[in-house]
Coordinates of all heavy atoms in Angstrom, one line a residue:
M253 N 0.8 -1.2 0.0 CA 0.0 0.0 0.0 C 0.9 1.2 0.0 O 1.9 1.3 0.6 CB -0.9 0.0 1.2 CG -1.8 1.2 1.3 SD -3.1 1.1 2.5 CE -2.3 1.2 4.0
D254 N 0.4 2.3 -0.6 CA 1.1 3.5 -0.7 C 1.1 4.2 0.6 O 0.0 4.5 1.1 CB 0.5 4.4 -1.9 CG 1.3 5.6 -2.1 OD1 2.4 5.7 -1.7 OD2 0.7 6.5 -2.8
M255 N 2.2 4.5 1.2 CA 2.2 5.2 2.5 C 1.7 6.7 2.3 O 2.0 7.3 1.4 CB 3.6 5.2 3.1 CG 4.2 3.9 3.4 SD 3.1 3.0 4.6 CE 3.4 3.9 6.0
G256 N 0.9 7.1 3.3 CA 0.4 8.5 3.2 C -0.9 8.6 2.5 O -1.5 9.6 2.6
R257 N -1.4 7.5 2.0 CA -2.7 7.5 1.3 C -3.6 6.4 1.9 O -3.1 5.3 2.1 CB -2.6 7.3 -0.2 CG -1.8 8.4 -0.9 CD -1.8 8.2 -2.4 NE -3.1 8.0 -2.9 CZ -3.8 8.9 -3.7 NH1 -3.2 10.0 -4.0 NH2 -4.9 8.6 -4.1
E258 N -4.8 6.8 2.3 CA -5.7 5.8 2.9 C -6.4 5.0 1.8 O -6.7 5.5 0.7 CB -6.8 6.5 3.7 CG -6.2 7.2 4.9 CD -5.9 8.7 4.7 OE1 -6.3 9.2 3.6 OE2 -5.3 9.3 5.5
S259 N -6.6 3.7 2.1 CA -7.4 2.9 1.2 C -8.8 3.2 1.3 O -9.3 4.0 2.2 CB -7.1 1.4 1.5 OG -7.7 1.1 2.8
R260 N -9.6 2.7 0.4 CA -11.1 2.9 0.5 C -11.6 2.4 1.8 O -12.5 3.0 2.4 CB -11.7 2.3 -0.7 CG -13.2 2.6 -0.8 CD -13.4 4.0 -1.2 NE -14.8 4.4 -1.1 CZ -15.2 5.6 -0.8 NH1 -14.3 6.5 -0.7 NH2 -16.4 5.8 -0.6
W261 N -11.1 1.2 2.3 CA -11.6 0.6 3.5 C -11.3 1.6 4.7 O -12.2 1.7 5.6 CB -10.9 -0.7 3.7 CG -11.3 -1.4 5.0 CD1 -12.4 -2.2 5.1 CD2 -10.7 -1.2 6.3 NE1 -12.5 -2.6 6.5 CE2 -11.5 -2.0 7.2 CE3 -9.6 -0.5 6.7 CZ2 -11.1 -2.1 8.5 CZ3 -9.3 -0.6 8.1 CH2 -10.0 -1.4 8.9
E262 N -10.1 2.2 4.7 CA -9.8 3.1 5.8 C -10.6 4.3 5.8 O -11.1 4.8 6.9 CB -8.3 3.5 5.7 CG -7.4 2.3 6.0 CD -5.9 2.6 5.7 OE1 -5.7 3.4 4.7 OE2 -5.0 2.2 6.4
K263 N -10.9 4.9 4.6 CA -11.8 6.0 4.5 C -13.2 5.7 5.0 O -13.9 6.5 5.7 CB -11.9 6.5 3.1 CG -10.6 7.2 2.7 CD -10.7 7.7 1.3 CE -9.4 8.3 0.8 NZ -9.5 8.8 -0.6
D264 N -13.7 4.5 4.6 CA -15.1 4.1 5.1 C -15.1 3.9 6.6 O -16.0 4.2 7.3 CB -15.5 2.8 4.4 CG -15.8 3.0 2.9 OD1 -16.0 4.1 2.5 OD2 -15.9 2.0 2.2
A265 N -14.0 3.3 7.1 CA -13.9 3.1 8.6 C -13.9 4.4 9.3 O -14.6 4.6 10.4 CB -12.7 2.3 8.9
M266 N -13.2 5.4 8.8 CA -13.2 6.7 9.4 C -14.6 7.4 9.4 O -15.0 8.0 10.4 CB -12.2 7.7 8.7 CG -10.8 7.4 9.1 SD -9.7 8.7 8.3 CE -8.7 7.6 7.3
T267 N -15.3 7.2 8.3 CA -16.6 7.8 8.1 C -17.6 7.2 9.1 O -18.3 7.9 9.8 CB -17.2 7.6 6.7 OG1 -16.3 8.2 5.8 CG2 -18.5 8.2 6.6
V268 N -17.5 5.8 9.3 CA -18.4 5.1 10.2 C -18.1 5.6 11.6 O -19.0 5.8 12.5 CB -18.2 3.6 10.1 CG1 -18.9 2.9 11.2 CG2 -18.8 3.2 8.7
E269 N -16.8 5.7 12.0 CA -16.4 6.1 13.3 C -16.8 7.5 13.6 O -17.3 7.8 14.7 CB -14.9 6.0 13.5 CG -14.4 5.9 14.9 CD -14.9 4.7 15.7 OE1 -15.2 3.7 15.0 OE2 -15.0 4.8 16.9
I270 N -16.7 8.4 12.7 CA -17.2 9.8 12.9 C -18.7 9.9 13.1 O -19.1 10.6 14.0 CB -16.7 10.7 11.7 CG1 -15.2 10.9 11.7 CG2 -17.4 12.0 11.7 CD1 -14.7 11.5 10.4
V271 N -19.4 9.2 12.3 CA -20.9 9.1 12.5 C -21.2 8.5 13.8 O -22.1 9.1 14.6 CB -21.6 8.4 11.3 CG1 -23.0 8.2 11.6 CG2 -21.4 9.2 10.0
F272 N -20.6 7.4 14.2 CA -20.8 6.8 15.5 C -20.5 7.8 16.6 O -21.3 8.0 17.6 CB -19.9 5.6 15.7 CG -19.9 5.0 17.0 CD1 -21.0 4.3 17.5 CD2 -18.9 5.2 17.9 CE1 -21.1 3.7 18.8 CE2 -18.9 4.6 19.2 CZ -20.0 3.9 19.6
A273 N -19.4 8.5 16.5 CA -19.0 9.5 17.6 C -20.0 10.6 17.6 O -20.4 11.0 18.8 CB -17.6 10.1 17.3
L274 N -20.5 11.1 16.5 CA -21.5 12.2 16.5 C -22.8 11.8 17.1 O -23.4 12.5 17.9 CB -21.7 12.8 15.1 CG -20.5 13.6 14.6 CD1 -20.8 13.9 13.1 CD2 -20.4 14.9 15.3
V275 N -23.3 10.6 16.7 CA -24.6 10.1 17.2 C -24.5 9.8 18.7 O -25.4 10.2 19.4 CB -25.0 8.8 16.4 CG1 -26.2 8.2 17.1 CG2 -25.3 9.2 15.0
T276 N -23.5 9.1 19.2 CA -23.4 8.8 20.6 C -23.2 10.1 21.4 O -23.7 10.2 22.5 CB -22.3 7.8 20.9 OG1 -21.1 8.3 20.5 CG2 -22.6 6.5 20.3
A277 N -22.5 11.1 20.9 CA -22.3 12.3 21.6 C -23.6 13.1 21.7 O -23.9 13.6 22.8 CB -21.2 13.2 20.9
A278 N -24.4 13.1 20.6 CA -25.7 13.8 20.7 C -26.6 13.1 21.6 O -27.4 13.7 22.4 CB -26.3 13.8 19.3
L279 N -26.6 11.8 21.6 CA -27.5 11.0 22.6 C -27.1 11.3 24.0 O -28.0 11.4 24.9 CB -27.5 9.5 22.2 CG -28.2 9.1 21.0 CD1 -27.9 7.6 20.7 CD2 -29.7 9.4 21.0
L280 N -25.8 11.3 24.3 CA -25.3 11.5 25.7 C -25.7 12.9 26.1 O -26.2 13.1 27.2 CB -23.8 11.3 25.8 CG -23.2 11.6 27.1 CD1 -23.8 10.6 28.2 CD2 -21.7 11.4 27.1
A281 N -25.5 13.9 25.2 CA -25.9 15.3 25.6 C -27.4 15.4 25.8 O -27.8 16.1 26.8 CB -25.4 16.2 24.4
A282 N -28.2 14.8 25.0 CA -29.6 14.8 25.2 C -30.0 14.2 26.5 O -30.9 14.6 27.2 CB -30.3 14.2 24.0
A283 N -29.4 13.1 26.8 CA -29.7 12.3 28.1 C -29.4 13.2 29.3 O -30.1 13.3 30.3 CB -29.0 11.0 28.1
V284 N -28.2 13.9 29.3 CA -27.8 14.7 30.4 C -28.8 15.9 30.5 O -29.2 16.2 31.6 CB -26.4 15.2 30.2 CG1 -26.0 16.3 31.2 CG2 -25.4 14.0 30.3
F285 N -29.1 16.5 29.4 CA -30.1 17.6 29.5 C -31.5 17.1 30.0 O -32.1 17.8 30.7 CB -30.3 18.3 28.1 CG -31.3 19.3 28.1 CD1 -31.0 20.5 28.7 CD2 -32.5 19.1 27.5 CE1 -32.0 21.5 28.8 CE2 -33.5 20.1 27.6 CZ -33.2 21.3 28.2
A286 N -31.9 15.9 29.5 CA -33.2 15.4 30.0 C -33.2 15.1 31.5 O -34.2 15.4 32.1 CB -33.5 14.1 29.2
V287 N -32.1 14.7 32.0 CA -32.0 14.5 33.5 C -32.2 15.9 34.2 O -33.0 16.0 35.2 CB -30.7 13.8 33.9 CG1 -30.5 13.9 35.4 CG2 -30.7 12.4 33.4
A288 N -31.5 16.9 33.7 CA -31.6 18.2 34.3 C -33.1 18.8 34.1 O -33.6 19.4 35.1 CB -30.6 19.2 33.7
L289 N -33.6 18.6 33.0 CA -35.0 19.0 32.8 C -36.0 18.3 33.7 O -36.9 18.9 34.3 CB -35.4 18.8 31.3 CG -36.8 19.2 30.9 CD1 -37.0 20.7 31.1 CD2 -37.1 18.8 29.4
A290 N -35.8 17.0 33.8 CA -36.7 16.2 34.7 C -36.5 16.7 36.1 O -37.6 16.8 36.9 CB -36.4 14.7 34.6
L291 N -35.3 16.9 36.6 CA -35.1 17.4 37.9 C -35.8 18.8 38.1 O -36.4 19.0 39.2 CB -33.6 17.6 38.2 CG -32.9 16.3 38.6 CD1 -31.4 16.6 38.7 CD2 -33.4 15.7 39.8
S292 N -35.7 19.7 37.2 CA -36.3 21.0 37.3 C -37.9 20.9 37.4 O -38.5 21.6 38.0 CB -35.9 21.9 36.3 OG -36.5 21.6 35.0
L293 N -38.4 19.9 36.7 CA -39.9 19.7 36.7 C -40.4 19.0 37.9 O -41.4 19.3 38.5 CB -40.3 19.0 35.4 CG -40.1 19.7 34.1 CD1 -40.5 18.8 32.9 CD2 -40.9 21.0 34.1
V294 N -39.6 17.9 38.3 CA -40.0 17.1 39.5 C -39.9 17.9 40.8 O -40.7 17.8 41.7 CB -39.2 15.8 39.5 CG1 -39.4 15.1 40.8 CG2 -39.6 14.9 38.4
L295 N -38.8 18.7 40.9 CA -38.6 19.4 42.2 C -39.4 20.6 42.4 O -39.4 21.3 43.4 CB -37.1 19.7 42.3 CG -36.2 18.5 42.4 CD1 -34.7 19.0 42.5 CD2 -36.5 17.6 43.6
D296 N -40.2 21.0 41.3 CA -41.1 22.1 41.4 C -40.3 23.4 41.9 O -40.7 24.0 42.9 CB -42.3 21.8 42.3 CG -43.4 22.9 42.0 OD1 -43.5 23.4 40.9 OD2 -44.1 23.1 43.0
L297 N -39.3 23.7 41.2 CA -38.4 24.9 41.5 C -39.0 26.2 41.1 O -39.9 26.2 40.2 CB -37.0 24.7 40.9 CG -36.3 23.4 41.3 CD1 -35.0 23.3 40.4 CD2 -35.9 23.4 42.8
S298 N -38.6 27.2 41.6 CA -39.0 28.6 41.1 C -38.5 28.8 39.7 O -37.6 28.0 39.2 CB -38.4 29.7 42.0 OG -37.0 29.7 41.9
A299 N -39.0 29.8 39.0 CA -38.7 30.0 37.6 C -37.2 30.3 37.5 O -36.5 29.7 36.6 CB -39.5 31.2 37.1
A300 N -36.6 31.0 38.4 CA -35.2 31.4 38.3 C -34.3 30.1 38.6 O -33.4 29.8 37.8 CB -34.8 32.5 39.3
A301 N -34.7 29.3 39.6 CA -33.9 28.1 39.9 C -34.1 27.1 38.8 O -33.1 26.4 38.4 CB -34.4 27.6 41.2
S302 N -35.3 27.0 38.2 CA -35.5 26.0 37.1 C -34.7 26.4 35.9 O -34.1 25.6 35.2 CB -37.0 26.0 36.8 OG -37.3 25.1 35.8
G303 N -34.6 27.7 35.6 CA -33.8 28.2 34.5 C -32.4 27.9 34.7 O -31.6 27.5 33.8
G304 N -31.9 28.1 36.0 CA -30.5 27.8 36.3 C -30.2 26.3 36.1 O -29.1 25.9 35.6
V305 N -31.1 25.4 36.5 CA -30.9 24.0 36.4 C -30.9 23.6 34.9 O -30.0 22.8 34.5 CB -31.9 23.2 37.2 CG1 -31.9 21.7 36.8 CG2 -31.8 23.4 38.7
R306 N -31.8 24.2 34.2 CA -31.8 23.9 32.7 C -30.5 24.4 32.0 O -30.0 23.7 31.1 CB -33.0 24.5 32.1 CG -34.3 23.8 32.5 CD -35.5 24.4 31.8 NE -36.7 23.9 32.5 CZ -37.9 24.5 32.3 NH1 -38.0 25.6 31.6 NH2 -38.9 24.0 33.0
T307 N -30.1 25.6 32.4 CA -28.8 26.1 31.8 C -27.7 25.2 32.2 O -26.8 24.9 31.3 CB -28.6 27.6 32.3 OG1 -29.7 28.4 31.9 CG2 -27.3 28.1 31.7
G308 N -27.6 24.8 33.4 CA -26.6 23.9 33.9 C -26.6 22.6 33.1 O -25.6 22.0 32.8
G309 N -27.8 22.1 32.9 CA -28.0 20.8 32.2 C -27.6 21.0 30.8 O -27.0 20.1 30.2
T310 N -27.8 22.1 30.2 CA -27.4 22.4 28.8 C -25.9 22.4 28.7 O -25.3 21.8 27.8 CB -28.0 23.7 28.3 OG1 -29.4 23.7 28.3 CG2 -27.5 24.0 26.9
L311 N -25.3 23.1 29.6 CA -23.8 23.2 29.6 C -23.2 21.8 29.9 O -22.2 21.4 29.3 CB -23.3 24.2 30.7 CG -23.7 25.7 30.3 CD1 -23.3 26.6 31.5 CD2 -23.0 26.1 29.0
A312 N -23.7 21.1 30.9 CA -23.2 19.8 31.2 C -23.4 18.8 30.1 O -22.5 18.0 29.8 CB -23.9 19.2 32.5
G313 N -24.5 18.9 29.4 CA -24.8 18.0 28.2 C -23.8 18.3 27.1 O -23.3 17.4 26.5
A314 N -23.6 19.6 26.9 CA -22.7 20.0 25.8 C -21.2 19.5 26.1 O -20.5 19.0 25.3 CB -22.7 21.5 25.6
A315 N -20.9 19.6 27.4 CA -19.5 19.2 27.8 C -19.4 17.7 27.7 O -18.4 17.1 27.2 CB -19.2 19.7 29.2
A316 N -20.4 17.0 28.1 CA -20.4 15.5 28.1 C -20.4 15.0 26.6 O -19.6 14.1 26.3 CB -21.6 14.9 28.8
G317 N -21.2 15.7 25.8 CA -21.2 15.3 24.4 C -19.9 15.6 23.7 O -19.3 14.7 22.9
A318 N -19.3 16.7 24.0 CA -18.0 17.0 23.4 C -16.9 16.1 23.9 O -16.0 15.6 23.1 CB -17.6 18.5 23.7
G319 N -17.0 15.8 25.1 CA -16.0 14.8 25.7 C -16.1 13.5 25.1 O -15.1 12.8 24.7
R320 N -17.3 13.0 24.9 CA -17.6 11.7 24.2 C -17.1 11.7 22.8 O -16.4 10.8 22.3 CB -19.1 11.4 24.2 CG -19.5 10.2 23.4 CD -19.0 8.9 24.0 NE -19.4 7.8 23.2 CZ -19.0 6.6 23.4 NH1 -18.1 6.3 24.4 NH2 -19.4 5.6 22.6
L321 N -17.3 12.8 22.1 CA -16.9 12.9 20.7 C -15.3 12.9 20.6 O -14.8 12.1 19.8 CB -17.3 14.3 20.1 CG -17.0 14.5 18.6 CD1 -17.7 13.6 17.7 CD2 -17.4 16.0 18.3
V322 N -14.7 13.6 21.4 CA -13.2 13.6 21.4 C -12.6 12.3 21.8 O -11.7 11.7 21.2 CB -12.7 14.7 22.4 CG1 -11.2 14.6 22.6 CG2 -13.0 16.1 21.8
R323 N -13.2 11.7 22.9 CA -12.7 10.4 23.4 C -12.9 9.3 22.3 O -11.9 8.5 22.1 CB -13.5 10.0 24.6 CG -12.9 8.8 25.3 CD -13.6 8.5 26.7 NE -15.0 8.5 26.7 CZ -15.8 9.4 27.2 NH1 -15.3 10.5 27.9 NH2 -17.1 9.3 27.2
V324 N -14.0 9.2 21.6 CA -14.2 8.2 20.6 C -13.2 8.4 19.4 O -12.6 7.4 18.9 CB -15.7 8.2 20.1 CG1 -15.8 7.3 18.8 CG2 -16.6 7.7 21.2
L325 N -13.1 9.6 18.9 CA -12.2 9.9 17.8 C -10.8 9.7 18.2 O -10.0 9.2 17.3 CB -12.5 11.3 17.2 CG -13.9 11.4 16.6 CD1 -14.1 12.8 16.1 CD2 -14.1 10.4 15.5
Y326 N -10.4 10.1 19.4 CA -9.0 9.9 19.8 C -8.7 8.4 19.9 O -7.6 7.9 19.5 CB -8.8 10.6 21.2 CG -7.3 10.4 21.7 CD1 -6.3 11.1 21.1 CD2 -7.1 9.5 22.6 CE1 -5.0 11.0 21.5 CE2 -5.8 9.3 23.1 CZ -4.7 10.0 22.5 OH -3.4 9.9 23.0
R327 N -9.6 7.6 20.5 CA -9.4 6.2 20.6 C -9.3 5.5 19.2 O -8.4 4.7 18.9 CB -10.6 5.5 21.3 CG -10.4 4.0 21.5 CD -11.6 3.4 22.1 NE -12.7 3.5 21.1 CZ -13.9 3.6 21.4 NH1 -14.4 3.6 22.6 NH2 -14.8 3.6 20.4
F328 N -10.1 6.0 18.2 CA -10.0 5.4 16.9 C -8.7 5.8 16.2 O -8.0 4.9 15.6 CB -11.2 6.0 16.0 CG -11.1 5.6 14.6 CD1 -11.4 4.3 14.2 CD2 -10.7 6.4 13.6 CE1 -11.3 3.9 12.9 CE2 -10.6 6.1 12.3 CZ -10.9 4.8 11.9
D329 N -8.2 7.0 16.4 CA -6.9 7.4 15.8 C -5.8 6.6 16.4 O -4.9 6.2 15.7 CB -6.7 8.9 16.0 CG -5.5 9.4 15.3 OD1 -5.3 9.1 14.1 OD2 -4.6 10.0 16.0
A330 N -5.8 6.4 17.8 CA -4.8 5.7 18.4 C -4.7 4.2 17.9 O -3.6 3.7 17.7 CB -5.0 5.7 19.9
E331 N -5.9 3.6 17.8 CA -5.9 2.2 17.3 C -5.5 2.2 15.8 O -4.8 1.2 15.4 CB -7.3 1.7 17.4 CG -7.7 1.4 18.8 CD -9.1 0.9 19.0 OE1 -9.7 0.5 17.9 OE2 -9.6 0.8 20.1
R332 N -5.8 3.2 15.0 CA -5.4 3.2 13.6 C -3.9 3.3 13.5 O -3.3 2.7 12.7 CB -6.1 4.4 12.9 CG -5.9 4.4 11.4 CD -6.6 5.6 10.8 NE -6.1 6.9 11.2 CZ -5.0 7.5 10.7 NH1 -4.3 6.9 9.7 NH2 -4.6 8.6 11.2
R333 N -3.3 4.2 14.3 CA -1.9 4.3 14.3 C -1.1 3.1 14.7 O 0.0 2.8 14.3 CB -1.5 5.5 15.2 CG -1.9 6.8 14.6 CD -1.5 8.0 15.5 NE -2.0 9.2 15.1 CZ -1.4 10.1 14.3 NH1 -0.1 9.8 13.9 NH2 -1.9 11.2 13.9
R334 N -1.7 2.3 15.6 CA -1.1 1.0 16.0 C -1.3 -0.1 15.0 O -0.7 -1.1 15.1 CB -1.7 0.6 17.4 CG -1.1 1.3 18.5 CD -1.6 0.7 19.8 NE -3.1 1.0 19.9 CZ -3.9 0.5 20.8 NH1 -3.4 -0.3 21.7 NH2 -5.1 0.9 20.9
G335 N -2.2 0.2 14.0 CA -2.4 -0.8 13.0 C -3.5 -1.7 13.2 O -3.5 -2.8 12.6
H336 N -4.4 -1.4 14.1 CA -5.5 -2.3 14.4 C -6.7 -2.0 13.5 O -7.1 -1.0 13.1 CB -6.0 -2.3 15.8 CG -4.9 -2.9 16.7 ND1 -4.5 -2.2 17.9 CD2 -4.1 -4.0 16.6 CE1 -3.6 -2.9 18.5 NE2 -3.3 -4.0 17.7

């Protein structure tokens, strides 16, 4: 194989891994936000407190999703470099 150029199989594997990372990151972010939303509804908080919990849930969800995205893609790159 020509060094520096990916085969079709490697390009397909990268595409699948990117889509997997995006989907799982979005699901994780949505789950974290849903927990925060459920807490704000169940605990019957004031409007200001409920807004704060939702904002915190949004930020926590975004951070969890971004972390998942980076972790999956980093793991894939490390495995690819090792030749697996």
Side-chain angles (χ1 to χ4, degrees):
M253 179 168 69
D254 187 16
M255 295 303 290
R257 295 184 53 109
E258 293 93 9
S259 68
R260 185 71 192 151
W261 179 88
E262 289 170 326
K263 288 180 183 178
D264 289 346
M266 280 186 241
T267 301
V268 168
E269 198 67 23
I270 290 168
V271 170
F272 172 76
L274 288 171
V275 169
T276 58
L279 290 173
L280 179 62
V284 170
F285 176 73
V287 168
L289 180 62
L291 281 175
S292 72
L293 294 174
V294 168
L295 296 178
D296 195 31
L297 303 172
S298 68
S302 181
V305 169
R306 290 181 193 163
T307 300
T310 301
L311 293 174
R320 172 70 180 167
L321 182 68
V322 169
R323 189 171 52 248
V324 169
L325 294 178
Y326 180 77
R327 184 188 66 211
F328 175 74
D329 185 54
E331 289 178 12
R332 186 181 64 85
R333 289 179 189 265
R334 282 186 290 173
H336 293 135

